[in-house]
Amino acid sequence: MARPTMEDVAKRAGVSRALVSLVMRGSPKVSEQRRTAVLRAAEELGYSPHAMARSLASRTSTVLGVMVSDLHNAFFAEVVDGLDSVAREQGFELIINTGGRSPARERRALDSLLSFRPAGLALLSPVVPTAAISTAADHLPIVLVARSSRVSTVDTVNDDGEQGVGLAVDHLVSLGHRDIVHLDGGEGSQAGPRRRGYVSAMARHGLDPRVVDSEYTDTAGARAVQELRGGGRMPTAVISCNDFNAVGAISALEEAGLGVPGDVSVVGYDNTSLAALRHVSLTTVDQPRNEMGRLAAEALLQRVRGERTDPVRHLLHPSLVVRSTTAPPGGAS
Amino acid sequence: MARPTMEDVAKRAGVSRALVSLVMRGSPKVSEQRRTAVLRAAEELGYSPHAMARSLASRTSTVLGVMVSDLHNAFFAEVVDGLDSVAREQGFELIINTGGRSPARERRALDSLLSFRPAGLALLSPVVPTAAISTAADHLPIVLVARSSRVSTVDTVNDDGEQGVGLAVDHLVSLGHRDIVHLDGGEGSQAGPRRRGYVSAMARHGLDPRVVDSEYTDTAGARAVQELRGGGRMPTAVISCNDFNAVGAISALEEAGLGVPGDVSVVGYDNTSLAALRHVSLTTVDQPRNEMGRLAAEALLQRVRGERTDPVRHLLHPSLVVRSTTAPPGGAS
DNA sequence: CTACAGCATTGGAGCGCTCCAACCAATAGA
DNA sequence: TCTATTGGTTGGAGCGCTCCAATGCTGTAG
């Protein structure tokens, strides 16, 4: 049960502990002969270095902390993938924690990450107050993903939601739609920019905006459509705040006997794996999630290496993915 | 930037380092007066204990390592949630890593987790060879989720896939179906038990089994249906190896002009959030995922506390969730 | 033959903490 | 009054490692 230590390896290889340390870190100033002896001894004993002891002694860390607000959201899975691949390349490990969208739980998750003294911290769409973040930022580099911030010591990575929804509006307008409704994400992260993007794009085309309150879930999307039906004029196209909402809207439309895209076109947001399912085949706006993760990791590592102290604010360009839920209006499919 | 240490707190509170340590660990043998003095000093300095130093000094760990084979699969998100809640209750932290379904990457993920000397390790549907697992099991408690093992030092938590598919068959038979096909999960984890469950349940009902090769993805499900169409007789019901596969099958059926469940009933497996979407509303088999996570954490912690050395093999009962993709045969919806 | 590089190697201090034996009142028991 | 006992407190050793100054060793120049 007890694992061998560096001391054990040193004894077995007939060298000093310091030499083993050099070999383990791949130092060039070790003779070939000793190196192989040490490596053999380590192999025989099944030795593997103790990351915590190393980090304590070297006063450095090769750990990046990641707080995911909600693991259930596939959006984060891809961001984490991006983070992971960059971190790994550069010899860093990820330790991940979840906050469950509750400020209290998130706070504890944050503390527990900090107690590991990671080299940096990536917070994915956190809900903790800014104050907690900026306090932590005094001690280590922090990058926020999918949440903006004005704290000058914090980097941010976001997609340009305004632009993204603008793309959706342009697409629908170019198909001939003029009556386009936005199902709003309410308090949800990034719902604001998306709404603003909708309103300003509509204005740009000289069209009247119509915003219906909704949320980031499929049931909310369905409910919003039911309200629209009750409330009179049905639009020819709907732009949802995200893919789940869009899928809910589609099923409510179909239940009401309205064809998609025959009678109503629907656009989502996020390009989750859900949208790509052939059964759904949703026209949606893609955020470069993997890229966002990569940029977040790079921002962190730049600060860790002391290459930069000014904050960066990445605002990535989303792109429109046209699938089967959009078509010209009235052109009963 | 430099964080205060226990020494700093001790100095400020006018006590010894050891006393601060006692306070931090909530020892009862500290006078109220000193305790408050220490806590105030800690508060003023913004001190928080250094988890790694603590773990090194105490030769114990409050960390549980979790290796998730694939973060994109929502199945794991809920298992992790279950693990997380139990771990948190008992004062343990999770550190999560991903293996990306590649043995090589998983191997490195495993090593990196081990280098933190966690108290225990939970492997979710790992693909690394058994040898690697049993070697690691010499050093610390390990629990496997969604993968069985005969290694006597390893605990396992699985759902009873045989029983689960049996439920699906029973349900379809009771609706009147006799021509039921299984779309097989191939090499996928737990595909074996599911296939066996199908075959034996069909035998129990005196029906001929028909297994079509497929995989755990929606495109594979669609392809399997296309093969079925090419190959002659269409069954009245299909049991997919998982929900994604089922969704793919449904869209291929609909494209072929066959109604679900009017012409063909479809059952999935896993009860992912996808199945619950009203647009999909898939009849499927539910694994108690959160429960699986909880049991995994408890198994680990029992070993950590030395309460048990014999392996446990949890085999949980799945349940059938009937939604809108199953109906009596021929009863053209 | 001495001096001095240059290099591989080493012992020791120290990272922030826990743990233990020792210590020091203050009180209780004889 | 003296010795136990108890409860609170402390210094020091040590966890497994890194880092640095110092060491020994070879080889080459003076």
Side-chain angles (χ1 to χ4, degrees):
Chain A
M1 207 75 177
R3 297 212 136 211
T5 79
M6 204 167 247
E7 195 76 50
D8 300 324
V9 176
K11 210 169 292 169
R12 182 171 190 111
V15 299
S16 72
R17 198 183 55 253
L19 215 235
V20 177
S21 171
L22 289 174
V23 172
M24 286 303 153
R25 283 175 290 148
S27 161
K29 44 172 76 178
V30 177
S31 69
E32 210 41 56
Q33 179 197 355
R34 305 270 184 155
R35 179 190 306 290
T36 56
V38 167
L39 289 177
R40 215 190 48 231
E43 175 70 32
E44 287 166 1
L45 292 173
Y47 170 80
S48 89
H50 190 309
M52 294 194 177
R54 165 177 294 181
S55 142
L56 184 60
S58 64
R59 266 141 292 186
T60 62
S61 168
T62 60
V63 169
L64 297 183
V66 180
M67 199 194 62
V68 181
S69 61
D70 181 10
L71 260 187
H72 297 265
N73 191 332
F75 173 81
F76 297 118
E78 289 198 35
V79 176
V80 171
D81 263 10
L83 278 160
D84 191 50
S85 52
V86 171
R88 231 186 261 281
E89 270 167 27
Q90 318 221 4
F92 284 75
E93 302 295 337
L94 253 41
I95 98 174
I96 306 175
N97 224 327
T98 79
R101 292 224 159 280
S102 126
R105 275 188 61 186
E106 237 180 51
R107 176 112 217 180
R108 273 180 299 152
L110 203 63
D111 283 344
S112 110
L113 282 178
L114 287 174
S115 75
F116 285 95
R117 303 290 190 272
L121 218 51
L123 307 181
L124 311 193
S125 193
V127 297
V128 285
T130 312
I133 295 175
S134 71
T135 305
D138 293 342
H139 296 295
L140 80 176
I142 291 191
V143 61
L144 298 181
V145 178
R147 158 159 170 178
S148 36
S149 163
R150 296 273 139 259
V151 180
S152 69
T153 48
V154 167
D155 299 325
T156 58
V157 179
N158 287 289
D159 92 312
D160 189 342
E162 253 184 89
Q163 187 188 27
V165 175
L167 293 174
V169 172
D170 293 348
H171 167 63
L172 291 169
V173 168
S174 78
L175 286 173
H177 292 273
R178 302 191 57 78
D179 190 0
I180 304 170
V181 162
H182 178 52
L183 307 190
D184 184 47
E187 299 296 306
S189 147
Q190 302 303 106
R194 291 178 192 177
R195 178 176 49 247
R196 284 196 297 279
Y198 164 76
V199 172
S200 67
M202 289 296 276
R204 202 171 62 231
H205 289 290
L207 300 174
D208 284 337
R210 234 196 322 163
V211 174
V212 175
D213 286 348
S214 193
E215 282 173 55
Y216 278 172
T217 63
D218 75 311
T219 50
R223 219 180 309 119
V225 165
Q226 282 153 7
E227 270 173 42
L228 270 176
R229 290 184 55 219
R233 198 173 86 260
M234 203 63 190
T236 64
V238 167
I239 297 178
S240 278
C241 50
N242 76 349
D243 287 350
F244 291 107
N245 185 283
V247 170
I250 291 173
S251 43
L253 286 167
E254 288 177 346
E255 279 166 26
L258 294 169
V260 175
D263 299 306
V264 181
S265 287
V266 177
V267 182
Y269 203 111
D270 280 348
N271 193 23
T272 54
S273 58
L274 175 64
L277 288 175
R278 41 184 299 156
H279 186 59
V280 177
S281 192
L282 179 69
T283 295
T284 186
V285 179
D286 182 68
Q287 300 191 45
R289 286 162 285 185
N290 191 76
E291 182 67 11
M292 290 170 78
R294 302 186 66 93
L295 285 172
E298 272 157 16
L300 234 36
L301 293 175
Q302 283 166 7
R303 282 198 194 251
V304 169
R305 290 188 296 252
E307 296 169 7
R308 178 174 54 75
T309 54
D310 300 330
V312 303
R313 308 248 174 268
H314 288 292
L315 201 59
L316 300 191
H317 295 307
S319 57
L320 188 74
V321 179
V322 178
R323 294 206 181 87
S324 326
T325 56
T326 48
S333 170
Chain B
M1 205 75 177
R3 297 211 136 211
T5 78
M6 203 168 247
E7 195 76 50
D8 300 325
V9 177
K11 210 169 292 168
R12 183 171 190 112
V15 298
S16 72
R17 197 182 58 255
L19 214 239
V20 177
S21 171
L22 289 175
V23 172
M24 286 303 152
R25 282 175 291 147
S27 162
K29 43 173 75 176
V30 178
S31 68
E32 210 41 57
Q33 179 197 356
R34 306 271 182 150
R35 179 190 306 288
T36 56
V38 167
L39 289 177
R40 215 193 46 232
E43 175 70 32
E44 288 166 0
L45 292 172
Y47 170 79
S48 89
H50 191 309
M52 294 193 177
R54 165 176 293 181
S55 141
L56 184 60
S58 64
R59 265 140 293 188
T60 63
S61 169
T62 60
V63 169
L64 296 183
V66 179
M67 199 194 63
V68 182
S69 60
D70 181 9
L71 260 187
H72 298 265
N73 190 333
F75 173 82
F76 297 119
E78 290 199 33
V79 175
V80 170
D81 263 9
L83 277 161
D84 192 50
S85 52
V86 171
R88 230 185 262 280
E89 270 167 27
Q90 319 222 4
F92 283 75
E93 302 296 336
L94 252 41
I95 97 173
I96 305 174
N97 224 327
T98 78
R101 291 225 160 281
S102 124
R105 274 189 62 186
E106 236 180 55
R107 176 110 217 183
R108 272 181 298 154
L110 203 63
D111 283 343
S112 110
L113 281 178
L114 287 175
S115 75
F116 284 96
R117 303 291 188 270
L121 218 51
L123 308 181
L124 311 191
S125 193
V127 298
V128 284
T130 311
I133 295 176
S134 70
T135 306
D138 293 343
H139 296 296
L140 82 175
I142 291 191
V143 60
L144 299 181
V145 178
R147 160 159 169 178
S148 35
S149 164
R150 296 273 139 257
V151 179
S152 68
T153 48
V154 167
D155 299 325
T156 58
V157 178
N158 286 289
D159 91 312
D160 189 342
E162 253 183 271
Q163 187 188 27
V165 175
L167 293 174
V169 172
D170 293 348
H171 167 65
L172 291 170
V173 168
S174 76
L175 286 173
H177 292 273
R178 303 193 56 80
D179 191 0
I180 305 169
V181 162
H182 178 51
L183 307 190
D184 183 50
E187 299 297 307
S189 147
Q190 301 304 104
R194 292 178 191 179
R195 178 176 48 246
R196 284 196 297 279
Y198 164 76
V199 171
S200 67
M202 289 296 276
R204 202 170 64 231
H205 290 289
L207 300 174
D208 284 337
R210 230 191 333 158
V211 175
V212 175
D213 287 347
S214 192
E215 281 174 56
Y216 279 172
T217 63
D218 75 311
T219 49
R223 220 178 310 116
V225 164
Q226 282 153 6
E227 271 173 39
L228 271 175
R229 289 183 57 220
R233 198 171 88 261
M234 203 64 189
T236 65
V238 167
I239 297 177
S240 277
C241 49
N242 77 349
D243 287 350
F244 290 107
N245 184 285
V247 170
I250 291 172
S251 45
L253 286 165
E254 287 178 344
E255 278 166 27
L258 294 168
V260 175
D263 299 305
V264 180
S265 287
V266 177
V267 182
Y269 205 110
D270 281 346
N271 193 23
T272 54
S273 57
L274 174 64
L277 288 175
R278 43 184 298 155
H279 187 59
V280 176
S281 193
L282 178 69
T283 294
T284 185
V285 179
D286 181 68
Q287 299 191 45
R289 285 161 286 184
N290 191 75
E291 182 66 13
M292 289 170 79
R294 302 186 66 93
L295 285 173
E298 272 156 16
L300 233 35
L301 293 175
Q302 283 165 8
R303 283 199 194 250
V304 168
R305 290 189 297 253
E307 296 168 7
R308 179 174 53 76
T309 55
D310 301 330
V312 303
R313 309 246 174 269
H314 288 293
L315 201 58
L316 301 191
H317 296 306
S319 58
L320 188 74
V321 179
V322 178
R323 294 206 182 86
S324 327
T325 54
T326 47
S333 169

